[in-house]
Amino acid sequence: MVLNSFNRNSASIENLQLFTWSLQSRRSGQMLVSWWLGTRYANTVTQRSDPNLSVALNVGLIRGMIRLTGANNSRVTLQPPGALFAQQIVADDELMRAEKDYLHQFGKLSDAAISRRLARSL
């Protein structure tokens, strides 16, 4: 779902960690939105970790839904089965409504946009 929010369905693991972490609680979500909007400085460590992401990535790899690329496998890209699964989630208005609404406020994401947005307040 998060990868589907990125251009070309691909993101660095660091940014994927950040956005999956922000979905863990209302507080973490509000913190990322504040950083994104520049209303709160990202002077604290912005590299956040979702402990469940590694499990999700392993399942995605086994099922052929994602592929790891880049130096040290530092990027994650949705493969056709993963993109189809994400589109099925998007198409169901009731499924994961809160998560979809939350991610929608950021628009289409990219690693470059995240760096620009969060680096401006460092």
Side-chain angles (χ1 to χ4, degrees), residues 86-104:
Q87 289 305 316
Q88 290 171 333
I89 293 170
V90 169
D92 187 329
D93 289 337
E94 299 304 314
L95 188 61
M96 300 180 76
R97 168 58 45 210
E99 292 86 348
K100 289 189 274 191
D101 288 346
Y102 172 78
L103 290 169
H104 181 74

Side-chain angles (χ1 to χ4, degrees), residues 14-34:
E14 180 180 337
N15 287 330
L16 190 56
Q17 283 279 9
L18 178 65
F19 274 83
T20 58
W21 163 82
S22 75
L23 287 166
Q24 288 181 359
S25 71
R26 179 179 288 269
R27 182 177 181 272
S28 59
Q30 289 171 340
M31 190 179 296
L32 181 57
V33 169
S34 294

Side-chain angles (χ1 to χ4, degrees), residues 35-94:
W35 291 338
W36 189 262
L37 298 174
T39 57
R40 180 176 178 171
Y41 293 111
N43 59 357
T44 57
V45 176
T46 56
Q47 186 174 5
R48 303 296 184 180
S49 179
D50 176 358
N52 300 312
L53 182 60
S54 61
V55 173
L57 291 177
N58 284 331
V59 170
L61 281 168
I62 290 167
R63 294 185 179 246
M65 299 176 94
I66 63 165
R67 180 170 51 106
L68 297 177
T69 60
N72 298 321
N73 291 325
S74 60
R75 294 193 65 70
V76 182
T77 303
L78 277 179
Q79 295 302 290
L84 178 62
F85 185 57
Q87 289 305 316
Q88 290 171 333
I89 293 170
V90 169
D92 187 329
D93 289 337
E94 299 304 314

Side-chain angles (χ1 to χ4, degrees), residues 104-120:
H104 181 74
Q105 68 187 321
F106 296 99
K108 200 66 167 169
L109 296 168
S110 71
D111 291 332
I114 292 167
S115 290
R116 281 191 307 272
R117 286 283 192 148
L118 298 184
R120 72 175 178 192

